[in-house]
Amino acid sequence: MEKKYDVVALGEFLIDFTPAGSTDSGMKLFEQNPGGAPVNMLTAVSKAGLKTAFIGKVGDDMHGNFLIETAKQAGIDTRGIVVDDTVFTTLAFVTLDENGEREFSFARKPGADTMLCYKEVDAELLRDTKVFHIGSLSLTDEPARTTTFQAVKEARKYGAVISYDPNYREPLWDNRENAMERMKSILPLVDIMKLSDEETALLTPFEDPKEAAEYLLGTGVRLVAVTLGSEGVLICSRDGSRKVSGFVSHVVDTTGAGDSFWGAFVSQLIRADKSLEEFSIDELEEFARYGNAVASLCVEKRGGLRSIPEESETFERLAVKSVSYTHLRAHET
């Protein structure tokens, strides 16, 4: 049966306040950037020309209204976004080091994203999508944790491929052990997943990306991508594994890099219109190269969602020979 949506995602939709210089008196200025890993991922899918929708909750406040309008502008169907006047939209304050790497401080006690109940979920979105995507931030607190599991099971029942990105954020968990347990708990329901080389030891007994990916394949996951920062990405399936180098990039802010890679990669899986078992490692390498091009453009601007490139820009970068990109910080104005 034909599905209306290519990808539906559930999870956090928030504001990233990203450093944007200082006042004359030396006080930091912060830029209001729409963010949240699942929505960043959907934006990359939408930029590839596919149909997307988001399920989540924002506050009935200036930030929530801004996020909904931003999603619409990105081509994401917002019918699944719940507006709640009893909680505030979640906020994240980001600090960047000289390489564009980030640290986060969250205003989320609770944040709207953690308060999504399953009765508020538009179940038709779950039943009418080819891919259903989640992250682990919706597993940190109730009721969003139970809602996530229920939504995944409903989407699976109607034939959706389940996509997962653990996207570990230490400040949002009680402790590392709880994080590891909950992030692993969803794995039996997952078909495809992306994790970073910093998350391998959280999800598996191994730090080595290839060993971790092979372990995850052994648990039933059918396709694994391990992002390697400046070294690109390792793609693993039952047809084999392949390291795919990235592109030269002048890094300003790494927010959204992994999300944009994964959205772009998944968009190519969908476009190919084949079952996961039919893809050769050569085909997956091409999809990963496309994802690397998107990510390399994303990191050249501040913020996550707004920095994800148009597909025409991606094609221009794909014309450049693929090499490991360097972390050369751009001059900020």
Side-chain angles (χ1 to χ4, degrees):
M1 183 178 70
E2 187 63 28
K3 303 283 188 177
K4 179 177 179 180
Y5 298 97
D6 294 295
V7 184
V8 171
L10 178 150
E12 72 278 7
F13 200 9
L14 49 80
I15 302 294
D16 285 324
F17 283 106
T18 309
S22 302
T23 66
D24 292 340
S25 60
M27 297 295 101
K28 285 185 177 179
L29 293 172
F30 287 87
E31 185 176 69
Q32 180 197 40
N33 283 301
V39 186
N40 293 339
M41 186 270 190
L42 287 180
T43 300
V45 176
S46 292
K47 296 282 189 180
L50 302 185
K51 182 73 172 175
T52 63
F54 178 67
I55 298 169
K57 179 178 281 193
V58 298
D60 187 9
D61 50 45
M62 61 180 286
H63 298 306
N65 295 334
F66 168 66
L67 289 174
I68 292 172
E69 185 57 33
T70 299
K72 290 178 180 177
Q73 292 173 4
I76 299 169
D77 191 322
T78 61
R79 63 184 268 196
I81 300 178
V82 178
V83 178
D84 190 334
D85 63 4
T86 68
V87 286
F88 290 111
T89 301
T90 300
L91 309 178
F93 292 85
V94 185
T95 57
L96 303 173
D97 67 17
E98 63 274 9
N99 294 318
E101 298 294 340
R102 307 148 298 156
E103 289 188 5
F104 293 87
S105 178
F106 290 90
R108 194 188 190 227
K109 297 181 179 180
D113 67 296
T114 68
M115 303 306 292
L116 182 69
C117 300
Y118 188 69
K119 66 182 180 181
E120 299 173 304
V121 172
D122 185 339
E124 286 304 312
L125 294 174
L126 303 174
R127 298 164 187 162
D128 208 12
T129 184
K130 297 173 185 176
V131 175
F132 182 58
H133 176 74
I134 60 163
S136 72
L137 268 63
S138 61
L139 303 176
T140 59
D141 297 275
E142 293 290 4
R145 186 187 315 143
T146 295
T147 299
T148 301
F149 272 91
Q150 290 175 304
V152 167
K153 290 174 181 176
E154 183 71 4
R156 276 176 65 90
K157 187 168 70 174
Y158 283 85
V161 171
I162 305 302
S163 165
Y164 178 45
D165 176 4
N167 194 36
Y168 179 59
R169 294 286 177 264
E170 183 180 3
L172 296 180
W173 296 93
D174 297 336
N175 54 63
R176 183 180 175 89
E177 290 69 30
N178 254 352
M180 292 171 67
E181 179 183 349
R182 290 181 190 169
M183 286 193 295
K184 291 176 183 177
S185 65
I186 200 77
L187 288 175
L189 302 175
V190 171
D191 296 302
I192 60 176
M193 68 180 292
K194 187 276 292 180
L195 69 164
S196 74
D197 53 355
E198 296 176 346
E199 294 164 339
T200 52
L202 293 168
L203 277 295
T204 80
F206 305 101
E207 289 188 12
D208 177 77
K210 187 173 182 181
E211 289 181 312
E214 289 174 349
Y215 173 86
L216 290 167
L217 291 175
T219 68
V221 181
R222 296 152 70 188
L223 189 156
V224 179
V226 185
T227 54
L228 307 172
S230 62
E231 297 301 314
V233 65
L234 177 72
I235 299 293
C236 295
S237 73
R238 288 161 194 178
D239 189 53
S241 63
R242 183 105 15 114
K243 182 179 175 183
V244 185
S245 296
F247 292 76
V248 173
S249 185
H250 297 281
V251 178
V252 172
D253 181 2
T254 57
T255 302
D259 309 326
S260 64
F261 163 81
W262 189 236
F265 179 85
V266 170
S267 74
Q268 301 309 293
L269 289 178
I270 294 169
R271 276 179 166 173
D273 195 24
K274 295 162 66 172
S275 69
L276 292 174
E277 286 71 25
E278 292 180 287
F279 289 111
S280 69
I281 195 64
D282 290 337
E283 289 174 295
L284 297 177
E285 178 182 9
E286 285 303 306
F287 302 162
R289 190 166 182 268
Y290 178 89
N292 283 344
V294 170
S296 74
L297 288 160
C298 176
V299 301
E300 294 184 340
K301 298 177 184 178
R302 285 197 299 264
L305 189 155
R306 288 279 176 85
S307 65
I308 296 170
E310 299 296 330
E311 191 167 45
S312 59
E313 298 175 86
T314 302
F315 288 145
E316 287 180 14
R317 184 143 295 184
L318 280 168
V320 178
K321 184 179 179 181
S322 180
V323 293
S324 296
Y325 60 84
T326 56
H327 285 262
L328 301 175
R329 187 170 178 77
H331 292 292
E332 296 182 7
T333 57

